[in-house]
Every structure is written in C-alpha cells, then in structure tokens.
C-alpha cells in the first residue's frame, strides 16, 4: 500500500467531512491517537482542538513529554488536569470491571463530554484501527466504540459525529503512516499501553500512593527492557504483602510482578527468556523502592493469562 496516497486521501476526506466546523480529539501519545492528531491538524489546522487528559494514571513524565513532542511539531495540545476526578471515582473500588468502567465513564462521559460542550466541537476523531473493529465483531475486545458500549449516543448527547480515519489500517500500517508524517520513533515504535493506563497494573484499590509505587517500577522495567525488542514489558503491583527484612528489621512489604512478552498482535503472547543478570538487576532496583520487598517474574503465557492484570 502506498501510504502517501492514504495520507492525502484522509486529509481531503477530513476537510470535506468537517467543513467549517470545529473538531476535537483526545491524544494519549499512543501511535494511533498521535497519527490521528497529525492528520487532523494537517487537514484542519487550529480548527482541530487536541487535548491530553491527565488522568493521574499515566507513566512518569508522560503528559509533559507527549505535549512537548507535539508542540515541537507545531501542534498545540491542551493539557487537561483531571487527576482529582479520576482518583475520586476510583476510591474504594477493587473489582477489575468496576475500575475499568469508572475510568471509561469519567473519561468519555464526564471530562471529555464537558470539553466537547465547552468547545462546541461538532466532530470527534477516534484512533480506531481495523483490528479493533474485527476483534469487537469477534467478541474478543470490549474497547472499540466505547461510547456506544457505555450507552452514549454521541450525536444525541453531545451533538457530535465520530470520525475514524484509521479504520482501514492495521498497526503496522499506522506505524508506517506515523513515520511518513514525521513522528519520532518514540511514538511510531511505542510499545502498547492500555487506555486505563497504570490502573490495569494495580490489583486492588488505585490510590495516589500505590500509583507512585507502580509508576516507579514501570520506569525501571522500561529502562531495563527497552533493548529486548519485546512486544510489551510492564510492572504490576499486587494486592498482597509478604514478609521481608529491610535494614535488619522484618517488614510486611509490597510485591511487584514484572512481565516481558513476545507477541505479534497481543492475541497470544509468550514470556521472554531474559538473561539472569538482567532479571537480578531489575529485582535489585525494584526492591529498592520504598515498601517493596519482593519482585517476581511472571512466566505465564497468554492464554491462560492475559497481558495486563486487570
Ligand atoms: P490483555 O491484558 O487483554 O491485553 O491480554 C491485550 C493488549 O491490549 C492492551 N490493553 C488495552 N488497550 N485499552 C487499550 O487501549 C484497554 O482497555 C486495554 N486493556 C488491555 C494490553 O496492554 C495488551 O497490549
């Protein structure tokens, strides 16, 4: 496929669909929403409002880094601080599906809905790709067309229409378009990171303190495993504790699980056979995080496990 033709066609199509109206899109920094952002800005300029919703669940420095990458490309991104709203709805929740639903609703119904009403945008861009649609039809995925899934008719409730410029591409195609549009490798080659972000890696309640722990562990794992070429690597905070000895004293500390997986499309995955030295260094660094005294490497493939823990 000639991706430069795809880019030209999509820009024309966006111009025609949106006309003189305003459009809005939420950027996460993932490759799909990044490509949509660049295509939309090429077509509409400042009639596309791009927001990055800081939900408090992102990785270390992620919101600022993503905003900077785009501002360096001449694309302004509004950083919306909604940390309190997300942490508020997550308070006391421990059930995985309840946590996911709370995040989805807060994102689309509360925060994004408010922005759409405030800006008067008539079109919303979504980074849906072909695989999302296929997996939804096959009943594998529950994340495509989230608005309909949570009972929101966008046209009726917000008066906007959803546009999905990437719906004919697969991930490899989106990565090619990202390169063609001049997005840096840290975006075009970015490993998958789920929409509910670090909340998928905290078993039990999501609190600011527990987020800080898993965020630090995530930074260590990403630093140490970035050169493996693996499909995805991550850190998870368990809801259990274990006895350990820290500074000569017994403590009942927290447990971090490390996961590093090879996969083609995330439908199945196998654990990477990491060098023992690498595993030991990760263990040393993770058990140096305050209150953490155990680090486990998860050998479970998908299936029977999933990649994330929630
Ligand atoms: P699981 O845990 O189901 O994850 O094996 C498969 C792949 O999908 C990612 N993932 C998500 N991505 N929104 C996303 O955009 C989500 O809610 C979500 N849940 C999981 C996960 O990181 C893995 O790559």
């Amino acid at each position: 496929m000639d991706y430069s033709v795809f880019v030209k066609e999509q820009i024309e199509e966006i111009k025609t669909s949106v006309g003189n109206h305003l459009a809005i899109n939420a950027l996460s920094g993932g490759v799909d929403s990044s490509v949509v952002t660049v295509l939309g800005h090429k077509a509409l300029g400042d009639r596309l409002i791009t927001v990055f919703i800081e939900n408090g669940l992102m990785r270390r420095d992620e919101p600022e880094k993503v905003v900077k990458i785009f501002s360096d490309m001449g694309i302004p991104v509004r950083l919306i601080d909604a940390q309190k709203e997300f942490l508020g709805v997550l308070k006391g929740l421990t059930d995985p599906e309840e946590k996911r639903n709370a995040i989805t609703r807060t994102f689309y119904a509360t925060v994004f809905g408010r922005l759409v009403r405030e800006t008067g945008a008539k079109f919303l861009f979504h980074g849906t790709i072909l695989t999302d649609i296929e997996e939804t039809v096959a009943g594998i995925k529950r994340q495509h067309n989230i608005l309909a899934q949570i009972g929101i008719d966008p046209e009726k409730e917000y008066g906007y229409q959803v546009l999905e410029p990437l719906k004919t591409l697969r991930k490899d195609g989106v990565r090619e378009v990202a390169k063609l549009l001049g997005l840096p490798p840290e975006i075009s080659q970015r490993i998958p990171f789920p929409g509910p972000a670090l909340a998928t890696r905290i078993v039990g309640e999501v609190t600011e303190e527990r987020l800080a722990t898993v965020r630090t562990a995530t930074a260590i794992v990403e630093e140490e495993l970035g050169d493996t070429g693996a499909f995805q690597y991550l850190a998870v905070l368990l809801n259990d504790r274990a006895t350990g000895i820290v500074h000569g004293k017994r403590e009942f500390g927290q447990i971090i699980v490390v996961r590093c997986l090879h996969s083609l499309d995330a439908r199945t995955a196998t654990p990477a056979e990491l060098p023992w030295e690498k595993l030991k260094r990760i263990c040393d660094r993770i058990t140096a995080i305050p209150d953490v005294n155990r680090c486990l490497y998860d050998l479970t493939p998908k299936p029977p496990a999933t990649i994330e823990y929630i």
Side-chain angles (χ1 to χ4, degrees), residues 291-305:
D291 199 35
V292 176
N293 68 19
R294 305 246 173 168
C295 177
L296 318 178
Y297 185 52
D298 184 346
L299 298 181
T300 328
K302 175 183 180 176

Side-chain angles (χ1 to χ4, degrees), residues 12 35 39 102 118-119 162 183 199 223 238-239 280:
E12 281 315 309
V35 166
L39 283 177
E118 279 171 11
T119 55
V162 178
L183 281 157
E223 263 170 51
L238 295 188
N239 202 21
K280 277 202 301 190

Side-chain angles (χ1 to χ4, degrees), residues 10-75:
Q10 288 309 317
I11 291 175
E12 281 315 309
E13 200 165 321
I14 293 170
K15 280 184 183 164
T16 312
S17 308
V18 177
N20 290 324
H21 293 289
L22 283 179
I24 186 166
N25 80 310
L27 169 69
S28 68
V31 64
D32 305 338
S33 67
S34 296
V35 166
V36 166
T37 300
V38 180
L39 283 177
H41 275 269
K42 282 193 183 294
L44 305 175
D46 57 12
R47 279 186 297 114
L48 174 62
I49 300 157
T50 298
V51 297
F52 184 107
I53 297 173
E54 160 59 305
N55 54 17
L57 311 172
M58 305 308 282
R59 289 168 288 187
R60 188 181 281 169
D61 302 329
E62 194 161 20
E64 297 76 17
K65 273 192 207 156
V66 174
V67 171
K68 171 142 193 339
I69 289 171
F70 282 82
S71 79
D72 287 349
M73 293 178 73
I75 296 174

Side-chain angles (χ1 to χ4, degrees), residues 74-212:
I75 296 174
V77 178
R78 293 189 199 170
L79 189 58
I80 309 293
D81 184 0
Q83 299 183 64
K84 285 212 175 75
E85 271 169 301
F86 281 90
L87 284 174
V89 295
L90 285 167
K91 201 167 188 297
L93 298 187
T94 52
D95 178 80
E97 287 306 305
E98 282 182 20
K99 282 157 67 177
R100 277 179 167 270
N101 284 336
I103 293 166
T104 308
R105 286 206 146 274
T106 306
F107 194 97
Y108 287 99
T110 314
V111 180
F112 203 61
R114 186 167 63 224
L115 290 167
V116 170
R117 282 189 293 270
E118 279 171 11
T119 55
K122 288 278 169 265
F123 292 85
L124 158 71
F125 289 107
H126 219 290
T128 315
I129 65 171
L130 184 56
T131 322
D132 295 333
I133 296 172
E134 286 173 347
E135 292 190 347
T136 305
V137 172
I140 297 169
K141 216 173 217 174
R142 37 155 277 156
Q143 65 213 40
H144 170 56
N145 202 354
I146 288 167
L147 293 162
Q149 179 196 310
I150 61 175
I152 294 175
D153 176 346
E155 184 111 52
K156 212 159 104 199
E157 292 209 26
Y158 311 127
Y160 67 54
Q161 283 180 44
V162 178
L163 297 179
E164 297 172 315
L166 309 183
K167 63 174 187 278
T168 56
L169 297 184
R170 293 184 190 283
K171 201 62 133 194
D172 53 338
V174 183
R175 292 195 198 282
E176 289 304 319
V177 174
K179 275 193 265 174
L180 200 71
L181 293 172
L183 281 157
E186 60 181 302
I187 299 279
S188 64
Q189 297 309 321
R190 189 175 247 244
I191 58 168
F193 187 64
L198 294 177
T200 61
R201 299 171 182 178
I202 294 179
V203 184
E205 191 180 5
V206 177
T207 63
E208 227 164 318
E209 209 179 10
R210 304 192 78 216
L211 275 163

Side-chain angles (χ1 to χ4, degrees), residues 100 141-143 192-196 200-201 231-232 234 265-267 302 305-310:
R100 277 179 167 270
K141 216 173 217 174
R142 37 155 277 156
Q143 65 213 40
F193 187 64
T200 61
R201 299 171 182 178
F231 175 81
Q232 204 168 356
L234 51 119
D265 54 12
R267 291 193 204 200
K302 175 183 180 176
T306 50
I307 292 177
E308 309 288 349
Y309 264 53
I310 292 289

